[in-house]
Amino acid sequence: MSTTRLLVLGGVRRFGRAHGYEVRRELMSWGSDEWAHVNPGSIYHALKQLAKEGLLRAHEVEESDAGPPHTDYEITEAGHAEFLRLLRCALATVDVRHPEMLTAGLGFLTELPRGEAVRLLRERLDGLAGWRASVAPHVQEQDPADHLRELLGWWVHSADSATAWTRGLIERLEAGAYVMAGEGPPRPAHPERPAPQGRPARP
């Protein structure tokens, strides 16, 4: 649910005010149904649940020439705080069971100030080093004839690859890549967007 909460809160936050279809369309255009298993039903459920918790504010819109009745959502102050908490956790925490949290967090990377993003990613480096240190000694201990040695080796390789990528991202951010929160002109909400023309190619 944490990934869904982050995606839905972040989606509403970017629009400023949006109804469920707009949020669903935005998240589906990211392919989140595939890498985060966030389907339309879970998005609508999350919108209602987050409104119930006071993290979103629901506005009932009556039928008009513009369309049928629907519910618009906007994020509350408590919702902003929860969004930022989840985003910080997604970037700083290494959770091999839920890699989709990092994926979701990267989608909102520029919602953080540059210095804070770098600090969180350095925390991630510490977590990766701890994960590697907990696994690497067992590779040599494993019987060479036991194929599970390959699983441990894969985890070590994954930690090394993730470490190299994280260091690269930190270097890019420190060199000025991207427009981060607090930099440049304010970002306007986009209450109306054209339908996406297709998803990015899958790896």
Side-chain angles (χ1 to χ4, degrees):
M1 179 62 175
S2 292
T3 304
T4 305
R5 288 167 72 90
L6 174 57
L7 288 169
V8 172
L9 286 171
V12 173
R13 184 175 184 269
R14 280 192 171 176
F15 275 105
R17 176 166 167 163
H19 56 76
Y21 173 75
E22 291 173 313
V23 177
R24 186 195 76 179
R25 184 180 66 187
E26 178 78 358
L27 297 183
M28 291 299 100
S29 75
W30 293 17
S32 58
D33 54 327
E34 296 182 9
W35 53 262
H37 308 293
V38 177
N39 56 52
S42 62
I43 292 172
Y44 288 116
H45 173 76
L47 286 166
K48 293 178 180 178
Q49 180 62 32
L50 291 167
K52 184 178 179 181
E53 295 177 24
L55 303 180
L56 295 177
R57 184 176 295 110
H59 301 274
E60 300 301 327
V61 179
E62 297 181 357
E63 184 174 7
S64 67
D65 292 340
H70 60 272
T71 303
D72 279 353
Y73 296 91
E74 62 179 334
I75 197 165
T76 64
E77 287 302 314
H80 279 289
E82 176 67 358
F83 166 76
L84 291 173
R85 183 189 72 81
L86 291 169
L87 176 55
R88 290 162 179 151
C89 182
L91 294 178
T93 305
V94 176
D95 187 345
V96 296
R97 299 166 300 172
H98 299 289
E100 70 277 5
M101 274 299 289
L102 174 61
T103 308
L106 290 172
F108 299 110
L109 175 67
T110 57
E111 303 299 319
L112 292 170
R114 186 176 303 276
E116 182 176 13
V118 168
R119 177 180 62 77
L120 292 168
L121 290 167
R122 291 194 183 282
E123 288 183 28
R124 185 170 197 87
L125 285 178
D126 291 341
L128 288 167
W131 176 39
R132 190 189 192 285
S134 70
V135 175
H138 300 294
V139 176
Q140 300 305 319
E141 296 171 1
Q142 200 75 23
D143 184 341
D146 190 339
H147 72 281
L148 291 180
R149 179 187 178 95
E150 297 298 336
L151 174 58
L152 296 171
W154 164 246
W155 284 342
V156 171
H157 174 77
S158 298
D160 290 340
S161 297
T163 296
W165 175 85
T166 304
R167 285 175 176 160
L169 177 54
I170 290 172
E171 290 174 1
R172 291 189 291 278
L173 288 174
E174 291 182 330
Y178 316 120
V179 178
M180 306 296 287
E183 302 174 355
R187 303 172 196 172
H190 46 81
E192 295 184 4
R193 283 189 172 188
Q197 298 302 307
R199 296 180 177 178
R202 295 289 182 269

